[in-house]
Amino acid sequence: MEKGTINLDTEDSLDKFVGELKAMQERRFSGLNFWNIKERTNTIEFRMPNGTIDPDLWIDNINLLGGIVAVPLDKELQYNELENSLIRSKAEAIVFDPKLMDSILEIKKNGKTELKHFICMDKNDQGIETVEEVLNTGKVILEKGNTEYVDADPDENEMGILLFTSGTTAMSKAALLTQKNLTSDLYGIMSVIKVYENDVNLAFLPFHHCFGAIGLSVMLSVGAKVVFCDGLRYIAQNLKEYKVTLFFCVPLILESMHKKIIAE
């Protein structure tokens, strides 16, 4: 699966996408298992902007991880906040955008965290492990018949994801959510809103917030399409351009859109 626009307009293309998504997920986490990142006490952090990640990392951010605790972080965190979050979460691995290389290298040098694996999204000249290397490792493991990740059965009552609050008025708080918490949210939304395979959702909310992650999970659960917003000022344009039928957002966005419509 390559980065870029993915055409899911036909059933065959959708089936192919889902198959590739599943295969990538199995290779990725089989590779992580090989590095002993597999228990609930092992935490893996994801720090990257929405819309710039490979489709298989969508799964990472909504934590279908075979037992690993996920901690999605805001890409806008300042250095001290990032390092502090890594310390508090006791993360053992971090997947990051190459644009953050300088900060990650400094954190690695300081040695204040429990990080053992630094995984960059792209190739680099710093000797940092890459997502491609994880995938290749996982592929070899699966070809040898090791299905430890594929056969994993996470405890629904154990912590599955850790979300940090914004910390606007004080130090951010860590909210611990279980697999059951996440699936309950998903089923709750699905019981109220009927989502169809031909629906299109504009992904605007950040994945390090529960609503953004669950909104994405809802769409994937029914095989619907997800498109990424180009930015706050382009919401109205993207809604038309992508023929969006479903939009997970917060009241402030709707209020702003309403004021603009009234003004016009």
Side-chain angles (χ1 to χ4, degrees):
M1 184 184 302
E2 299 179 354
K3 296 179 182 178
T5 302
I6 301 172
N7 180 12
L8 301 180
D9 292 334
T10 68
E11 185 174 345
D12 288 342
S13 61
L14 176 60
D15 290 342
K16 181 181 179 182
F17 170 75
V18 173
E20 291 181 355
L21 189 67
K22 181 175 181 292
M24 276 192 171
Q25 180 195 12
E26 292 178 354
R27 291 199 300 271
R28 177 181 303 280
F29 294 107
S30 292
L32 292 176
N33 276 356
F34 179 75
W35 290 343
N36 290 320
I37 307 173
K38 55 186 177 181
E39 304 296 339
R40 68 180 181 85
T41 54
N42 297 125
T43 305
I44 186 164
E45 311 238 1
F46 307 96
R47 188 164 189 260
M48 55 206 73
N50 287 12
T52 65
I53 56 179
D54 292 41
D56 60 307
L57 270 178
W58 300 348
I59 294 295
D60 299 352
N61 274 347
I62 55 176
N63 191 42
L64 300 179
L65 300 178
I68 303 172
V69 177
V71 188
L73 294 177
D74 185 353
K75 70 181 181 68
E76 302 296 342
L77 286 180
Q78 297 301 308
Y79 177 85
N80 290 337
E81 294 176 291
L82 171 60
E83 186 176 50
N84 186 49
S85 295
L86 290 167
I87 293 172
R88 293 170 64 193
S89 66
K90 299 182 179 180
E92 295 191 5
I94 181 169
V95 179
F96 63 93
D97 187 286
K99 295 178 182 178
L100 306 172
M101 181 65 75
D102 290 343
S103 295
I104 298 301
L105 289 177
E106 186 65 24
I107 287 174
K108 183 178 181 182
K109 178 182 177 181
N110 288 344
K112 295 180 181 179
T113 71
E114 297 184 24
L115 288 171
K116 299 176 182 177
H117 297 284
F118 301 81
I119 306 169
C120 184
M121 288 296 299
D122 293 320
K123 295 180 180 179
N124 59 88
D125 57 4
Q126 301 294 331
I128 299 295
E129 297 161 331
T130 66
V131 167
E132 183 179 359
E133 291 174 330
V134 178
L135 287 170
N136 290 337
T137 299
K139 182 179 179 181
V140 172
I141 290 172
L142 290 169
E143 289 175 347
K144 290 183 177 180
N146 185 331
T147 59
E148 182 179 357
Y149 166 73
V150 179
D151 298 333
D153 185 20
D155 186 338
E156 65 176 16
N157 294 310
E158 293 286 357
M159 180 171 66
I161 190 168
L162 187 152
L163 299 175
F164 283 102
T165 61
S166 60
T168 304
T169 58
M171 179 180 290
S172 61
K173 299 177 179 61
L176 313 181
L177 300 178
T178 65
Q179 295 274 0
K180 191 171 184 178
N181 289 146
L182 298 173
T183 53
S184 295
D185 283 346
L186 190 153
Y187 283 118
I189 293 174
M190 296 292 284
S191 67
V192 176
I193 303 174
K194 183 63 176 177
V195 183
Y196 300 91
E197 289 184 8
N198 58 351
D199 273 321
V200 179
N201 171 48
L202 182 64
F204 174 76
L205 299 177
F207 296 151
H208 62 276
H209 288 177
C210 188
F211 192 33
I214 293 301
L216 184 61
S217 181
V218 167
M219 302 304 289
L220 288 175
S221 70
V222 299
K225 183 186 294 185
V226 178
V227 296
F228 291 95
C229 183
D230 294 325
L232 186 60
R233 67 177 65 180
Y234 300 106
I235 291 179
Q237 177 183 326
N238 289 160
L239 289 172
K240 296 178 182 178
E241 179 182 4
Y242 298 128
K243 300 180 180 179
V244 173
T245 60
L246 189 62
F247 185 29
F248 286 87
C249 62
V250 292
L252 181 60
I253 299 298
L254 295 179
E255 291 171 2
S256 298
M257 293 173 63
H258 181 261
K259 288 181 180 178
K260 186 174 181 180
I261 293 173
I262 296 300
E264 292 177 351

